Amino acid sequence: MAGRGEAAGSREAAGSPGLAGAEVQPRRLAAEPAGAAAMASIVSYESLVHAVSGAVGSMTAMTVFFPLDTARLRLQVDEKRKSKTTPAVLLEIIKEEGLLAPYRGWFPVISSLCCSNFVYFYTFNSLKALWVKGQHSTTGKDLVLGVVAGVVNVLLTTPLWVVNTRLKLQGAKFRNEDIVPTNYKGIIDAFHQIIRDEGVLALWNGTFPSLLLVFNPAIQFMFYEGFKRKLLKKQQQLTSLDAFVIGAIAKAVATTLTYPLQTVQSILRFGRHRLNPENRTLGSLRNVLYLLQQRVRRFGLMGLYKGLEAKLLQTVLTAALMFLVYEKLTAATFTVMGLKHSRRQ
């Protein structure tokens, strides 16, 4: 007995793997799998599938409904253009600028949208996998995840949106004489001219309202995921009509609630108004309030919603088609690869 005690004591004194070592090693082994699991949730094949599907869905939908977005942007930025129905505005544009004018700036918009939705869907689904971990998600969690994904998306992709807004409006015939025309030869030249003439921070014009507008996709995803969870309790998977309808409803609610800020965002991204040129960089709170105040002063309270009809028509149909393509492409990819698609509940 004494020999055994002495032997145990000598092992501990010598630092051999006794009780102390046995306690430290499991702790270290437990920490390593936890870290590996977290990394696997963030860098996963499933998140990549969601991101690619979201990007392809948004590109498809935007291409189909791009002319509606052109009409919306003209009504937001060109204050002296009379608020008319979307078909009337599109007919004016075609008559004055040519048949292809409604598709002006398509490539930079699609490029920006592809990058933006890839970042958003990847961040949203990676964080959801990390946080929810196979459990039931909640409306509150979906909203928080949507906001975080939106902030990451805004900070990374705002320069692309500034450039594509200017390219899309280049060559347009404005009613407002206060707008300074641009002359960019393409995406790279636009980046070069903006940095040279206005400074690198001009690429983040409109960042402040954009950060406020992260609630738009967050609200959209919150409603979409909520409706989706309710439907999946009653049926095995979403039908094409289900995805289209709940995507449309979710986007309609989000757009109506945040539209005045979207108008300010478009004006700041365009950044070519002669009025109030100071403090335009990043779109400070003072500038956002100034633009909202000017809008109300000139057009009344309804001026904040000028172009809403065009925006709702474009964004609701685009979002509905995007979610339809996204759901079908995601499901098809998991089926082809023979992987189990975890239903997000």
Side-chain angles (χ1 to χ4, degrees), residues 23-44:
E23 289 176 4
V24 172
Q25 194 168 6
R27 259 184 257 154
R28 189 184 308 145
L29 291 173
E32 287 176 1
M39 184 58 67
S41 297
I42 295 173
V43 185
S44 70

Side-chain angles (χ1 to χ4, degrees), residues 45-63:
Y45 178 77
E46 185 171 340
S47 295
L48 182 62
V49 170
H50 283 296
V52 172
S53 299
V56 172
S58 62
M59 290 167 63
T60 304
M62 179 56 85
T63 299

Side-chain angles (χ1 to χ4, degrees), residues 45-299:
Y45 178 77
E46 185 171 340
S47 295
L48 182 62
V49 170
H50 283 296
V52 172
S53 299
V56 172
S58 62
M59 290 167 63
T60 304
M62 179 56 85
T63 299
V64 173
F65 299 115
F66 194 81
L68 300 178
D69 190 57
T70 299
R72 181 270 311 174
L73 190 57
R74 295 293 180 88
L75 286 168
Q76 284 184 328
V77 172
D78 191 358
E79 294 178 344
K80 293 189 179 180
R81 181 182 287 274
K82 291 182 180 179
S83 186
K84 299 179 180 179
T85 62
T86 302
V89 172
L90 285 173
L91 284 173
E92 272 187 0
I93 293 171
I94 292 171
K95 184 179 178 180
E96 295 174 3
E97 303 169 32
L99 189 62
L100 295 179
Y103 274 91
R104 180 184 290 118
W106 173 83
F107 182 73
V109 170
I110 291 299
S111 302
S112 302
L113 196 65
C114 178
C115 296
S116 182
N117 276 278
F118 183 91
V119 170
Y120 191 93
F121 274 85
Y122 193 94
T123 305
F124 184 90
N125 286 284
S126 296
L127 293 177
K128 190 164 190 174
L130 184 62
W131 191 7
V132 176
K133 294 179 181 176
Q135 301 174 356
H136 289 276
S137 185
T138 64
T139 301
K141 286 182 179 180
D142 289 336
L143 184 62
V144 171
L145 290 169
V147 169
V148 174
V151 170
V152 172
N153 180 36
V154 165
L155 295 177
L156 290 178
T157 65
T158 290
L160 289 171
W161 287 111
V162 168
V163 167
N164 91 57
T165 299
R166 297 194 184 190
L167 286 171
K168 189 172 181 179
L169 291 170
Q170 184 168 277
K173 296 189 177 183
F174 294 108
R175 309 292 192 274
N176 190 353
E177 299 84 7
D178 295 317
I179 295 177
V180 183
T182 59
N183 185 27
Y184 304 130
K185 297 175 183 176
I187 296 176
I188 304 301
D189 184 57
F191 272 108
H192 174 71
Q193 285 195 43
I194 292 170
I195 294 172
R196 182 193 65 197
D197 300 337
E198 304 171 48
V200 70
L201 289 181
L203 291 172
W204 276 268
N205 277 352
T207 297
F208 186 79
S210 296
L211 287 172
L212 295 178
L213 278 169
V214 299
F215 283 100
N216 181 293
I219 292 169
Q220 174 188 345
F221 265 73
M222 179 183 73
F223 275 94
Y224 182 81
E225 293 288 323
F227 287 139
K228 183 178 174 181
R229 276 194 295 273
K230 287 185 180 296
L231 286 173
L232 288 178
K233 287 178 181 178
K234 303 174 183 177
Q235 56 199 56
Q236 191 66 24
Q237 62 181 15
L238 292 181
T239 65
S240 299
L241 183 61
D242 290 335
F244 191 89
V245 171
I246 65 176
I249 294 171
K251 192 60 177 180
V253 173
T255 298
T256 303
L257 291 175
T258 60
Y259 187 75
L261 280 174
Q262 291 183 53
T263 299
V264 171
Q265 179 194 55
S266 294
I267 293 171
L268 287 169
R269 279 176 173 173
F270 184 45
R272 306 303 296 175
H273 289 71
R274 290 192 179 96
L275 293 176
N276 193 39
E278 66 278 1
N279 292 324
R280 196 166 51 212
T281 303
L282 299 181
S284 63
L285 177 60
R286 183 171 68 175
N287 227 6
V288 170
L289 294 175
Y290 170 82
L291 288 169
L292 289 172
Q293 184 184 30
Q294 287 296 104
R295 200 84 174 180
V296 173
R297 186 179 298 169
R298 292 183 183 183
F299 308 106

